[in-house]
Amino acid sequence: MTANRHALLIDFGSTYTKLRAVDLDDPRIVGAGQGPSTVDSDITVGLVRALDDLEAKLGILPAFSYRLASSSAAGGLRMVTVGLVRELTAEAARQAALGAGARLVGSFAYKLTSGDLEEIAVLDPDILLLVGGTDGGNEETVLHNGAMLARESLSCPVVFAGNRNALDGVRAEFEQAGKNIVAADNVMPNFGELNIEPARAAIRRVFIDRIVHAKGIDRAANMFDRVLMPTPAAVLEGARLLGDGGHGRAGLGSLMVVDVGGATTDVHSIATGMPQDEGAVYQGLPPPYAMRTVEGDLGMRHNINSIIEETGVEIFAADSGLDRDRVAVLTELFSKNVGRLPETSDERAFDHALARAAVGLSVRRHAGTVETAYTPMGPVIVQHGKDLRNVTALIGTGGALVHGENSDSILAAALADKSDPMSLRPRAPKLFLDKDYILYACGLLSMVEPDVALDFGLANLHPLTQETRDGRTSVA
Amino acid sequence: MKTLVTGVIGADTHIVGNRILSLALEKAGYKMVPLGALTPADAFIKAAVETAADGIMVSSLYGQGELDCRGFRDQCMEAGIGDILIYVGGNLVVGKQPWEEVEARYIDMGFDRVFPPGTRPKDVITALENDFAARAEGKKRAAT
């Protein structure tokens, strides 16, 4: 009998270095380990601690067939995007950067000004994505922006994914300044056609070739095989695999992932989201099939005030069962101690309501909307963004869901609400909890053994039976 | 190759004529950016900016075009494409009004040409050819 093969999946996070050891022949987690994130000093230290932790749990570390890593350490992949029309190529650039797992620190549209350039210099991104114009369309703006950026003392890698007719001109400007650009196919080759995968791939290549080194992650290079992508991209890849399935094996179908974190709440959807109602008309840029949004003002610890403000203090207080004064006191408490976990029953109620609010708001922003336009021919339904009402699975992850109580009730806050019929949120998906943080591991593993990754992912998500206090039931 | 943006403006769902025109123009060698029905004025202009279009062809069939098209040229100017060729055509006003008056009103709004109901695609194609030829000589549009 030969021994089972194993894979080690590493997440170099902003706070922790996390490990998952997966049995590839009997797809399951055999162990997990955790150490601190030590990328600011020497990343090796945290990884060694995490491996020691894993070894302590397993007794002995298996010989790993793969040792793959993702990273969101050292501030994540910080990106700036530059496009032409804000709702068109500039939006396509944002989608490409978010889909590549970036932390978007700035996005610019139209011609860059000297003030914009100063701002970009201060933002000091890891990668800049420059786009603009459809192929054969507007060259002027992207050439202007390319020339401005080339002359600027900007040292970060630049990915160009704009009008192909402008590529030579932009490249010449950069070469003249002794710099290079990485070229990818246009994010919008024809009007209204979103084509972000080539730009995503180029961003990932630059991340692997240059950013991993620049951030000092490769100091631990002899302890793993490869860093494949930023962690949010690994989560998106995991979600895509679990939704689509592969090689004759069905996935979960169209799905959403809500990842509630301390600083941001991320939402991913794997769905076309085009209009399902007869006669509904889609307006605006078509959304990407695999779509990620990041809500930087909906973090469970860093943005308590903005979450409560947007929800409405009265509504929040009612949902938590606390009075307004108590809400104010606890807001203060948690905002000042971002590492604090809830201890008393009041604190747990507060945290629970906060998670529900973050989930509800972030999913509402991610999902599309419909509005009725009244025409002389009768009313017409106009849709903007993704129709996610028929999504079949909703996966929750992040500390508040994994460690909190009643995670089904938190996740239920994502669902369609009769009082808000214009929002196209999921109506009756099956609810799952990713309580072992397997999505990133699944995404990394999908790059080398997609079939195993699919089995592993499907077997390690925890279905939630939804019997929430607000009485909704799942028709799973 | 010249690029043209087409669409039906405002809360107007009448797409058929606009689609026939778009197909005819494509066959005539234009690169088409068809936006379809129910298109807000700013969507025409944003699409024209991104595609560096040479012309915008606005259809309106439901009589409310006057409201929808008001300020169209001004918006183009704001977007930095103030010189773009713009045509409008269809049932452009409510009820029966003398065509000369209707045409004058739309010319006044900044449209280069105004087409009545029943216009054949070949007439539009001829007008485009003449206007683009005139523009190549530095004129705003052809005399006829």
Side-chain angles (χ1 to χ4, degrees):
Chain A
M1 192 179 118
T2 54
N4 283 7
R5 298 173 313 135
H6 291 86
L8 178 69
L9 294 320
I10 308 162
D11 169 23
F12 293 111
S14 50
T15 320
Y16 299 109
T17 302
K18 298 191 200 82
L19 304 178
R20 297 290 175 269
V22 173
D23 185 328
L24 296 172
D25 296 306
D26 172 20
R28 66 192 173 89
I29 291 186
V30 292
Q34 188 163 300
S37 181
T38 54
V39 70
D40 294 331
S41 47
D42 180 356
I43 197 160
T44 322
V45 175
L47 183 54
V48 168
R49 293 258 301 266
L51 281 167
D52 288 347
D53 183 35
L54 180 65
E55 189 169 17
K57 286 170 185 164
L58 289 180
I60 185 166
L61 286 181
F64 292 108
S65 309
Y66 305 102
R67 297 172 302 173
L68 307 172
S70 66
S71 166
S72 54
L77 173 59
R78 301 173 73 259
M79 278 189 69
V80 162
T81 57
V82 179
L84 175 49
V85 176
R86 189 163 292 288
E87 298 87 346
L88 299 174
T89 51
E91 177 60 23
R94 283 173 45 85
Q95 297 285 0
L98 288 169
R103 203 178 122 210
L104 209 50
V105 292
S107 46
F108 297 81
Y110 305 105
K111 283 186 180 167
L112 291 172
T113 64
S114 51
D116 292 339
L117 286 169
E118 280 171 27
E119 203 180 325
I120 292 171
V122 171
L123 289 169
D124 188 24
D126 296 319
I127 299 177
L128 185 141
L129 175 61
L130 173 64
V131 312
T134 52
D135 283 346
N138 186 299
E139 294 173 33
E140 186 199 347
T141 304
V142 76
L143 283 170
H144 167 91
N145 290 346
M148 294 277 273
L149 290 165
R151 283 197 291 271
E152 183 69 16
S153 60
L154 192 75
S155 59
C156 75
V158 171
V159 173
F160 175 90
N163 182 353
R164 65 189 297 274
N165 297 38
L167 171 60
D168 289 343
V170 170
R171 179 173 273 150
E173 290 282 354
F174 275 85
E175 279 172 0
Q176 209 166 10
K179 303 186 216 173
N180 288 315
I181 53 168
V182 176
D185 287 351
N186 196 343
V187 289
M188 191 187 284
N190 293 300
F191 181 79
E193 183 189 333
L194 195 67
N195 176 47
I196 60 174
E197 291 300 328
R200 276 190 61 194
I203 292 165
R204 217 184 110 198
R205 271 200 315 279
V206 173
F207 175 78
I208 293 169
D209 295 344
R210 296 169 70 174
I211 309 302
V212 166
H213 174 70
K215 289 192 181 282
I217 299 165
D218 60 351
R219 288 184 68 164
N222 62 340
M223 298 170 70
F224 57 80
D225 305 332
R226 275 180 296 164
V227 175
L228 292 175
M229 59 188 97
T231 305
V235 173
L236 189 60
E237 289 305 327
R240 192 202 299 257
L241 179 76
L242 287 173
D244 291 351
H247 293 98
R249 173 108 196 251
L252 295 169
S254 55
L255 63 78
M256 288 183 84
V257 176
V258 190
D259 182 351
V260 188
T264 65
T265 295
D266 283 27
V267 180
H268 307 250
S269 63
I270 308 294
T272 56
M274 282 293 109
Q276 292 158 3
D277 293 339
E278 185 107 7
V281 179
Y282 188 86
Q283 264 183 7
L285 191 66
Y289 173 72
M291 175 168 160
R292 167 172 176 252
T293 49
V294 178
E295 307 304 340
D297 61 340
L298 299 178
M300 281 281 291
R301 284 296 174 267
H302 293 272
N303 317 104
I304 298 178
N305 271 316
S306 67
I307 294 175
I308 295 179
E309 202 171 294
E310 191 168 335
T311 307
V313 181
E314 292 296 335
I315 296 172
F316 183 85
D319 195 49
S320 62
L322 304 168
D323 63 40
R324 289 183 62 155
D325 293 342
R326 193 78 190 121
V327 167
V329 168
L330 293 176
T331 300
E332 177 90 7
L333 177 74
F334 282 110
S335 297
K336 286 200 170 146
N337 307 284
V338 294
R340 187 185 177 92
L341 294 171
E343 287 166 10
T344 66
S345 65
D346 274 12
E347 289 176 25
R348 278 192 290 273
F350 179 84
D351 222 34
H352 184 82
L354 203 56
R356 277 177 57 83
V359 166
L361 294 170
S362 61
V363 172
R364 180 179 296 139
R365 291 185 197 168
H366 184 98
T369 55
V370 284
E371 58 179 341
T372 308
Y374 293 95
T375 80
M377 304 298 290
V380 176
I381 304 292
V382 179
Q383 179 184 327
H384 301 267
K386 276 182 159 180
D387 184 349
L388 297 167
R389 288 175 299 175
N390 291 334
V391 155
T392 50
L394 173 63
I395 302 169
T397 187
L401 278 145
V402 172
H403 302 300
E405 294 163 355
N406 300 322
S407 37
D408 51 349
S409 156
I410 297 174
L411 212 43
L415 302 182
D417 184 345
K418 282 198 177 70
S419 69
D420 185 14
M422 299 309 192
S423 174
L424 302 174
R425 284 177 283 165
R427 283 192 288 222
K430 289 182 190 167
L431 303 184
F432 295 91
L433 188 62
D434 175 24
K435 72 173 179 196
D436 302 315
Y437 291 114
I438 58 138
L439 280 171
Y440 88 86
C442 183
L444 288 176
L445 206 50
S446 77
M447 296 292 120
V448 289
E449 302 228 4
D451 292 350
V452 175
L454 180 59
D455 287 340
F456 163 68
L458 292 174
N460 289 276
L461 282 177
H462 298 264
L464 290 170
T465 49
Q466 196 195 349
E467 289 164 28
T468 62
R469 59 182 169 183
D470 52 3
R472 269 190 285 248
T473 49
S474 167
V475 282
Chain B
M1 190 192 271
K2 299 278 189 200
T3 301
L4 299 174
V5 174
T6 63
V8 187
I9 198 166
D12 193 345
T13 54
H14 301 85
I15 185 63
V16 178
N18 186 267
R19 195 165 284 163
I20 290 169
L21 178 66
S22 300
L23 286 172
L25 292 172
E26 184 165 32
K27 229 175 153 183
Y30 292 98
K31 180 170 171 61
M32 300 307 296
V33 180
L35 304 181
L38 289 166
T39 301
D42 66 336
F44 283 91
I45 294 157
K46 284 169 182 163
V49 169
E50 200 74 77
T51 59
D54 302 283
I56 302 177
M57 323 286 283
V58 179
S59 292
S60 178
L61 285 302
Y62 70 157
Q64 308 298 318
E66 262 187 280
L67 289 171
D68 298 328
C69 293
R70 199 170 284 166
F72 198 94
R73 176 66 74 185
D74 297 336
Q75 286 189 56
C76 289
M77 287 176 181
E78 286 287 353
I81 53 167
D83 294 331
I84 193 169
L85 192 69
I86 29 181
Y87 289 3
V88 64
N91 297 309
L92 296 174
V93 289
V94 180
K96 257 206 148 7
Q97 300 183 30
W99 175 248
E100 292 70 28
E101 285 177 22
V102 175
E103 186 178 25
R105 227 177 290 156
Y106 277 85
I107 294 283
D108 211 39
M109 281 192 250
F111 287 89
D112 291 292
R113 285 180 192 270
V114 189
F115 295 89
T119 303
R120 314 295 301 175
K122 70 172 171 39
D123 297 336
V124 180
I125 291 166
T126 308
L128 281 170
E129 281 168 4
N130 293 342
D131 284 345
F132 284 133
R135 284 181 165 228
E137 293 167 16
K139 293 179 207 148
K140 201 159 171 283
R141 61 175 167 267
T144 53

